[in-house]
Amino acid sequence: MKKLKLKGNVRDAALSILWAVENQQAYSNLLLNDTISNYGLADKDKGLLTEITYGTLQHRMTLDFYLDPYIKKKLEPWVRTLLRLSLYQMVYLDRVPERAAIHEAVEIAKKRGHGGIGSVVNGILRSIQRNGLRSLDEINDPTLRLSIETSHPEWLIRRWIGQYGFDKTKEMAIENNLVPRQTVRVNLAATTTEDAIRALEAEGLSAERSPRIPECLFVSGGQPAKTAAFKSGLITIQDESSMLPVYALQPEPGMTVLDMCAAPGGKATHIAEKMQNTGKLYAMDLHPHKVKLIDEAAARLGHTIIKTEAGDARSSGERFDGIQFDRILLDAPCSGLGVIKRKPDIKYTKSETDFQRLQGVQLDLLNEAVYLLKPQGILVYSTCTVDQEENNGTVARFLETHPNMELIPAALPGSLRADSPVQIFPQDFGGDGFFVAAFQKRER
């Protein structure tokens, strides 16, 4: 593929992002803003770029199923990517005429390649337009059909069926392909929920309360991160499920608290709000550039008790030797299978070997946390994944080696069940998939 960019062309911009995701292990969410700027896209095209990019990623395996019978010769990989994003528009976007999608694909193929590639692309897409899509009913195996139909790797679908059954797996896989809801957390240290709603509505957005979490709002009609309410620290961007671990932690004003893997700072700032900005709150992260994000978030929200530290939390015992914490949050590095709706690339990059490796890291972090926790102190372990081996398996192994730790009910808000551990699925209320386990340290 020639390296030229077709400035102002939204479909060529989508091709660049998808190509980088598939071949350079880039993250689509991080590339979007840079690409919008580099291509000089008009405001009206930004939404279409996001829709084409995420939609093509979400439905990649289904699109390949439709394309395969029409591809008779070996194609350069970027041409297949171009065919996928073009077919995505033809199949899933009612407002894009098929002739427009095909015309744009042929022009990009000619300019990024040559006239011969343009003819091949034209021939394949027009054949599909003429003959229609093949039926998914051709696939007899229900597990393989669900894999192709929802575009999740077959090994992952089989694993989830083994853990949760076919119906729950199907619900989750379908939910993962929906557009995620925009949610924000109101900074209750700076304003009230009512005033935050009024501030957002004054800027032309719509906001309504979550029925589960008092400080969570559902927002539509604009980008909350672009509002004055965000810039002045009245709100922060956070998924509803991601607010639950801090409830389970039960932080209070004046406590000494550690957030072990804190970047980009969503939960650390939530803890500071629950502590009414009094006490001591340490926020660690492995990468210095990510620690900077925590500092920026704390400054914007006006939280002065957060002290950030760059370093490996597996060595936090050395760093905080002599300090005993009332509360410790471990929002652990994980496979991220609960956030596929926001990051569809995840489902194609993970493998079964990841789970055991991640569990080892998580146990090392939990072992370190026990050393630093006061008697009667609370430790919360959370992940944004839905894998039983990774989540429940880690809890079981942790309890086996730490008889001084016991599971306690997670103090979740509203109608949410106060079990421990708690597994939230993406389809439960439309948020991210999340896992929360709360432990308390017994007296010596």
Side-chain angles (χ1 to χ4, degrees):
M1 180 172 64
K2 294 174 185 173
K3 288 187 177 178
L4 81 163
K5 292 175 182 170
L6 306 183
K7 289 276 187 179
N9 187 311
V10 66
R11 292 167 178 86
D12 192 71
L15 174 63
S16 292
I17 295 173
L18 292 166
W19 177 249
V21 169
E22 291 167 17
N23 296 281
Q24 299 167 7
Q25 287 75 52
Y27 293 105
S28 56
N29 57 323
L30 300 180
L31 281 174
L32 267 172
N33 285 337
D34 286 346
T35 304
I36 288 169
S37 175
N38 291 340
Y39 270 78
L41 293 180
D43 285 345
K44 65 181 177 61
D45 286 333
K46 293 176 184 175
L48 182 60
L49 173 66
T50 304
E51 195 166 6
I52 293 175
T53 303
Y54 278 81
T56 305
L57 276 171
Q58 283 171 332
H59 298 281
R60 191 172 89 186
M61 293 170 62
T62 317
L63 293 167
D64 281 346
F65 175 79
Y66 293 145
L67 281 168
D68 281 346
Y70 295 95
I71 297 177
K72 306 298 183 187
K73 297 179 181 176
K74 187 175 181 181
L75 297 176
E76 290 186 55
W78 71 269
V79 179
R80 179 178 277 272
T81 303
L82 176 61
L83 287 167
R84 284 177 184 147
L85 73 89
S86 304
L87 187 59
Y88 170 75
Q89 297 166 70
M90 295 166 63
V91 175
Y92 294 98
L93 298 188
D94 293 337
R95 61 194 169 94
V96 176
E98 289 188 0
R99 55 182 162 70
I102 295 172
H103 172 75
E104 286 286 338
V106 173
E107 291 303 306
I108 292 170
K110 288 194 287 190
K111 289 173 181 168
R112 289 280 200 159
H114 52 73
I117 295 177
S119 297
V120 170
V121 166
N122 186 56
I124 290 171
L125 294 178
R126 292 216 178 274
S127 294
I128 296 175
Q129 185 185 35
R130 189 168 52 249
N131 299 327
L133 302 173
R134 65 193 293 205
S135 171
L136 288 158
D137 291 339
E138 292 177 20
I139 307 171
N140 294 323
D141 179 349
T143 300
L144 179 59
R145 186 164 59 244
L146 181 59
S147 162
I148 299 298
E149 187 176 13
T150 63
S151 203
H152 286 66
E154 188 180 356
W155 71 264
L156 184 57
I157 292 291
R158 289 195 185 281
R159 186 177 177 94
W160 282 347
I161 290 173
Q163 294 179 349
Y164 302 113
F166 187 89
D167 291 345
K168 206 169 191 69
T169 297
K170 184 175 182 178
E171 289 173 5
M172 182 156 49
I174 290 172
E175 179 75 24
N176 284 342
N177 286 339
L178 300 181
V179 176
R181 185 170 53 203
Q182 288 193 107
T183 57
V184 302
R185 190 187 77 233
V186 178
N187 177 7
L188 294 180
T191 188
T192 63
T193 304
E194 292 75 16
D195 285 347
I197 291 173
R198 279 193 283 271
L200 289 165
E201 289 179 343
E203 297 189 68
L205 283 74
S206 297
E208 62 175 304
R209 291 181 181 82
S210 155
R212 288 163 292 275
I213 299 182
E215 61 267 47
C216 177
L217 300 179
F218 304 149
V219 181
S220 59
Q223 297 181 53
K226 303 280 188 186
T227 62
F230 176 83
K231 290 171 185 167
S232 61
L234 301 185
I235 59 167
T236 200
I237 312 298
Q238 189 175 28
D239 181 75
E240 187 177 17
S241 300
S242 183
M243 301 178 200
L244 297 176
V246 173
Y247 271 88
L249 193 66
Q250 304 179 55
E252 296 176 9
M255 284 184 165
T256 301
V257 180
L258 172 63
D259 185 350
M260 295 181 81
C261 301
K267 296 178 187 64
T269 52
H270 198 192
I271 294 169
E273 286 154 26
K274 295 289 185 192
M275 294 172 68
Q276 299 174 17
N277 205 28
T278 61
K280 294 178 181 175
L281 172 53
Y282 296 90
M284 286 194 80
D285 202 86
L286 182 60
H287 305 289
H289 69 281
K290 291 187 176 180
V291 167
K292 189 178 171 188
L293 298 176
I294 308 171
D295 289 328
E296 290 171 354
R300 184 178 58 79
L301 294 163
H303 303 326
T304 56
I305 63 167
I306 300 177
K307 299 186 183 307
T308 53
E309 298 272 347
D312 190 338
R314 288 174 291 187
S315 302
S316 52
E318 295 175 14
R319 163 61 187 88
F320 298 110
D321 191 26
I323 300 178
Q324 288 280 279
F325 291 91
D326 298 290
R327 303 284 186 266
I328 297 179
L329 173 63
L330 171 60
D331 189 48
C334 70
S335 58
L337 297 176
V339 296
I340 287 175
K341 194 163 27 174
R342 297 182 192 281
K343 300 177 183 176
D345 346 4
I346 285 176
K347 59 186 176 183
Y348 307 120
T349 57
K350 296 299 175 188
S351 68
E352 289 193 88
T353 57
D354 289 327
F355 299 108
Q356 197 168 21
R357 176 182 61 79
L358 286 164
Q359 189 177 78
V361 173
Q362 293 171 9
L363 285 167
D364 287 346
L365 289 161
L366 285 167
N367 293 339
E368 202 74 7
V370 172
Y371 170 73
L372 293 166
L373 190 66
K374 282 181 183 176
Q376 294 301 304
I378 294 175
L379 164 65
V380 167
Y381 157 69
S382 62
T383 70
C384 58
T385 198
V386 294
D387 189 80
Q388 274 191 353
E389 180 185 340
E390 187 178 348
N391 290 332
N392 298 80
T394 298
V395 168
R397 289 186 60 186
F398 175 66
L399 289 172
E400 282 173 8
T401 53
H402 294 283
N404 59 336
M405 300 295 292
E406 64 177 338
L407 275 172
I408 61 171
L412 303 187
S415 59
L416 296 168
R417 59 193 186 277
D419 300 334
S420 188
V422 177
Q423 177 68 68
I424 305 291
F425 292 96
Q427 68 269 30
D428 284 349
F429 49 79
D432 292 341
F434 237 86
F435 179 85
V436 182
F439 307 92
Q440 189 162 36
K441 191 174 187 179
R442 295 191 174 102
E443 296 283 359
R444 288 187 179 89

